[in-house]
Amino acid sequence: MFTDPGEIALQAEVPSHLSGARFDQAAAELFAAYSRTRLQQWIREGALRVDGRVGKTREKLLGGEYLTLKARLEAEGEWQPQPVPFEIVYEDASVIVVNKAAGLVVHPGAGNPDGTLLNGLLHHCEQLATVPRAGIVHRLDKDTTGLMVVAKTLEAHHSLTSQLKDRTVKRHYRALVQGVMTGGGTIDVPIGRHPASRTRMAVLRPGREGGNRYREAISHYRLVERFVSHSHVEVALETGRTHQIRVHMAHLGYPLVGDVVYGGRLRLSAGGSTKLSTALREFPRQALHALRLSFIHPISGEAVEWESSLPEDMQQLLRVLQGESSPV
């Protein structure tokens, strides 16, 4: 029998241990693949019913009722499919893992109304039109390269967003930074919107300039290799705030190579070669790459992981840095 992928038809009996639970609470346990917000919407629309009748989200259930869900997934936005090229490293019925190139904007916004990864995803897989933000659950900056996961279904979207909230999605990055690090550590300082520049983020202190606008931000970093005046580091995100690595490394005094927003003036070593100076001046973006990505697969429940090689521009800069004299 043919099943329309845009249709959902489910039924479940309310067990005795949920006696006294609210309609939406019981639904969240019985239809755990969908978010509470989505289930509440379906209750209000009459798509999710109790014993065949339209109920209220807060009404108490006795146990033994039958919940029936019959819903049609609708397009989540007005974005248009476009043949935007992007690299897929893995795809199945519930997720797509993308290796994003530098210069590719992830989501339409001011100054980038189309031509984004989201537009390309809709062109690649039309069912993504029914998933929030075409399945994009986390982003990379325009000039950051590397791995992202996209949810192809509502169930996968709910699973991945829950995992991000619970911090079970593991994201490891490689970065080239200005300055010579001596070791690794943890950066645990809150980040919020810059008080004077709405396009930038900043470290904000509770009770000071941050007010209540800051959010917890934690990054773990380790030294991979150090050079005369630069370092190669790996950073693991515990949280995923906008520009988190860029802001945190600049806060430590080791801004990313090529980061014109948070890096300030380019630092050139007095003893560095002309070749190194040229390579640093000509590096076109922040030197940041999402190297490794792991999460619990929404369907199999198994831990899955992917790794992406450093892009050629970062490899080339590394070769130049490695060709310089070792640090004292």
Side-chain angles (χ1 to χ4, degrees), residues 177-181 187 203 221 229-231 245-257 262-263 265 267:
V177 302
Q178 301 182 56
V180 183
M181 282 190 170
I187 312 168
V203 168
Y221 66 97
S229 55
H230 295 81
S231 302
I245 294 175
R246 298 166 64 189
V247 172
H248 270 174
M249 299 312 293
H251 174 72
L252 274 192
Y254 300 98
L256 270 61
V257 169
Y262 301 104
R265 185 174 58 86
R267 304 176 193 173

Side-chain angles (χ1 to χ4, degrees), residues 20-298:
R22 289 176 12 174
F23 186 4
D24 60 341
Q25 292 172 334
E29 180 168 326
L30 295 173
F31 305 127
Y34 303 99
S35 69
R36 177 80 66 87
T37 299
R38 176 75 58 167
L39 292 167
Q40 289 172 339
Q41 177 186 335
W42 282 333
I43 290 171
R44 289 191 294 269
E45 294 173 348
L48 176 53
R49 300 189 174 210
V50 55
D51 285 338
R53 64 174 175 81
V54 177
K56 297 184 181 298
T57 57
R58 294 176 177 272
E59 74 172 82
K60 298 294 182 66
L61 303 182
L62 300 175
E65 298 94 338
Y66 279 90
L67 305 188
T68 53
L69 172 60
K70 293 183 179 180
R72 179 165 186 83
L73 301 178
E74 304 293 341
E76 290 282 339
E78 298 181 357
W79 308 294
Q80 298 301 311
Q82 293 177 311
V84 177
F86 62 93
E87 180 186 353
I88 295 175
V89 297
Y90 176 81
E91 181 175 8
D92 61 22
S94 61
V95 298
I96 303 173
V97 177
V98 173
N99 188 27
K100 192 186 85 66
L104 179 60
V105 175
V106 169
H107 191 281
N112 297 285
D114 54 21
T116 69
L117 174 61
L118 182 147
N119 300 107
L121 285 165
L122 290 173
H123 184 268
H124 170 73
C125 179
E126 64 179 20
Q127 78 180 59
L128 288 172
T130 63
V131 184
R133 296 185 181 276
I136 293 171
V137 294
H138 66 114
R139 304 189 195 185
L140 296 177
D141 294 337
K142 174 183 177 181
D143 289 325
T144 297
T145 57
L147 298 171
M148 291 176 53
V149 61
V150 175
K152 291 180 67 175
T153 65
L154 278 179
E155 297 92 333
H157 186 271
H158 178 53
S159 172
L160 290 170
T161 53
S162 296
Q163 289 185 56
L164 284 163
K165 182 179 179 181
D166 295 339
R167 303 180 183 179
T168 57
V169 176
K170 305 301 182 183
R171 291 166 288 173
H172 292 254
Y173 293 70
R174 286 292 177 90
L176 299 176
V177 302
Q178 301 182 56
V180 183
M181 282 190 170
T182 57
T186 295
I187 312 168
D188 184 356
V189 290
I191 289 175
R193 190 69 60 181
H194 194 287
S197 175
R198 301 302 298 169
T199 61
R200 298 178 60 192
M201 307 301 287
V203 168
L204 299 178
R205 296 297 183 183
R208 296 183 180 179
E209 71 276 12
N212 294 319
R213 297 173 297 174
Y214 63 89
R215 300 180 70 186
E216 180 186 36
I218 303 173
S219 305
H220 307 282
Y221 66 97
R222 70 176 183 87
L223 178 65
V224 177
E225 191 174 6
R226 58 180 176 171
F227 310 105
V228 174
S229 55
H230 295 81
S231 302
H232 180 194
V233 298
E234 182 167 316
V235 185
L237 291 181
E238 185 169 326
T239 58
R241 310 307 177 204
T242 301
H243 299 175
Q244 179 172 316
I245 294 175
R246 298 166 64 189
V247 172
H248 270 174
M249 299 312 293
H251 174 72
L252 274 192
Y254 300 98
L256 270 61
V257 169
D259 193 342
V260 297
V261 176
Y262 301 104
R265 185 174 58 86
L266 176 64
R267 304 176 193 173
L268 297 175
S269 172
S273 68
T274 301
K275 183 178 181 180
L276 175 59
S277 297
T278 301
L280 291 169
R281 290 184 188 279
E282 294 181 352
F283 196 79
R285 62 185 184 90
Q286 68 263 9
L288 184 62
H289 176 70
L291 176 83
R292 196 159 55 251
L293 172 70
S294 63
F295 53 89
I296 304 301
H297 193 278

